[in-house]
Amino acid sequence: MSHVLVIEDDEITAREIALELAAHGISADRVNDGLQGLQRAQEPIYDAITLDLMLPGMDGLTLVTQLRERGIRTPVLMISALGDVNERVRGLRAGGDDYLTKPFAPDEMAARIEVLLRRHRQEPSAQTRLRVADLELDMITRIARRGNRELTLLPTEYRLLEFLMRYPGQVLTRAMIFESVWGLRFDPGTNLIDVHIARLRRKVDIDGEPSLIRTMRGSGYRLG
């Protein structure tokens, strides 16, 4: 069972996080201030961390910066009531692995934690090629192929395909895709993701080939 450290000073939010993680088979410990969080986060028993940015004792940005300076690579999901793009960029530059804005849906939070856990186990930074079925992406040459057919991808299509291929078989929500590929907070009113998925699907899945990009209604998309 994976073990997550929840660093959150709001008791209701911390309880919601712990209950949702438990529903996904993930155990959680909670601390409610930054100084204690920094101490606990250095323990090797945790597979991931949820980190509120606004904490007593030590703020989340300082905490994650100190963790990275000390060589602690545990993946961190940063959580904040501040939803502007600059705040998100600061959090990720400080060493956070993902960023979620309050208020959030508990299942969205759990999905992001599961992605971080999977990414950490696979150590994707060491990968130079991604493969799903007969679809292959060379991240050095930035060339994608399906079988013997080379795909001509625009820059956004390439980033979208790379993100999907990093997590084969896993449902990725629209919010996760939007923030990872476009670097922006998801707007439920936009159809930008659907338009780009449709364009990418026309290049990846042509007549006679099994469909690899699947729409999971009400949830998001899955590759493979």
Side-chain angles (χ1 to χ4, degrees):
M1 175 182 289
S2 296
H3 200 181
V4 171
L5 176 64
V6 177
I7 308 176
E8 170 63 62
D9 64 328
D10 182 78
E11 187 170 346
I12 295 176
T13 301
R15 186 183 304 116
E16 289 178 348
I17 292 173
L19 288 174
E20 186 66 26
L21 291 177
H24 288 255
I26 301 170
S27 66
D29 294 336
R30 181 232 176 168
V31 295
N32 58 12
D33 70 80
L35 291 174
Q36 187 180 6
L38 178 63
Q39 180 179 0
R40 293 287 297 276
Q42 297 179 70
E43 298 177 11
I45 62 173
Y46 296 110
D47 301 294
I49 298 167
T50 70
L51 175 63
D52 186 20
L53 291 187
M54 304 296 290
L55 291 167
M58 176 184 292
D59 65 88
L61 286 178
T62 301
L63 193 158
V64 75
T65 298
Q66 292 201 20
L67 283 180
R68 299 315 186 215
E69 288 176 349
R70 299 178 189 191
I72 307 300
R73 310 313 305 171
T74 309
V76 175
L77 172 62
M78 309 188 85
I79 300 176
S80 175
L82 304 176
D84 64 276
V85 174
N86 289 334
E87 185 67 21
R88 181 179 188 274
V89 170
R90 282 194 293 270
L92 296 178
R93 285 180 175 173
D97 297 273
D98 198 0
Y99 187 98
L100 188 61
T101 303
K102 295 180 180 179
F104 56 84
D107 57 345
E108 174 77 12
M109 175 277 305
R112 289 170 181 263
I113 285 293
E114 288 180 329
V115 166
L116 291 182
L117 291 170
R118 185 168 180 173
R119 180 191 304 172
H120 190 59
R121 294 189 193 105
Q122 291 179 339
E123 298 181 345
S125 60
Q127 293 179 278
T128 60
R129 289 177 184 268
L130 300 172
R131 177 180 287 275
V132 179
D134 60 346
L135 179 64
E136 183 177 275
L137 183 66
D138 188 320
M139 292 182 289
I140 295 179
T141 64
R142 299 177 70 85
I143 293 176
R145 297 180 183 277
R146 180 153 191 195
N148 296 322
R149 178 170 57 88
E150 183 174 326
L151 310 183
T152 302
L153 301 177
L154 297 175
T156 301
E157 294 169 345
Y158 174 90
R159 294 196 302 272
L160 178 57
L161 181 62
E162 179 183 351
F163 184 64
L164 292 172
M165 291 186 72
R166 285 192 181 277
Y167 309 103
Q170 181 158 337
V171 177
L172 302 173
T173 68
R174 286 175 171 81
M176 293 165 68
I177 294 171
F178 201 73
E179 293 187 12
S180 296
V181 176
W182 279 269
L184 299 172
R185 184 181 181 185
F186 179 58
D187 176 5
T190 183
N191 68 343
L192 188 63
I193 294 175
D194 305 283
V195 169
H196 279 79
I197 285 283
R199 292 175 179 171
L200 182 62
R201 183 181 275 132
R202 287 195 292 269
K203 295 181 178 183
V204 172
D205 300 332
I206 64 172
D207 293 342
E209 294 176 333
S211 178
L212 290 179
I213 301 176
R214 304 178 186 277
T215 301
M216 313 304 292
R217 296 196 179 280
S219 300
Y221 296 95
R222 176 169 64 86
L223 185 69

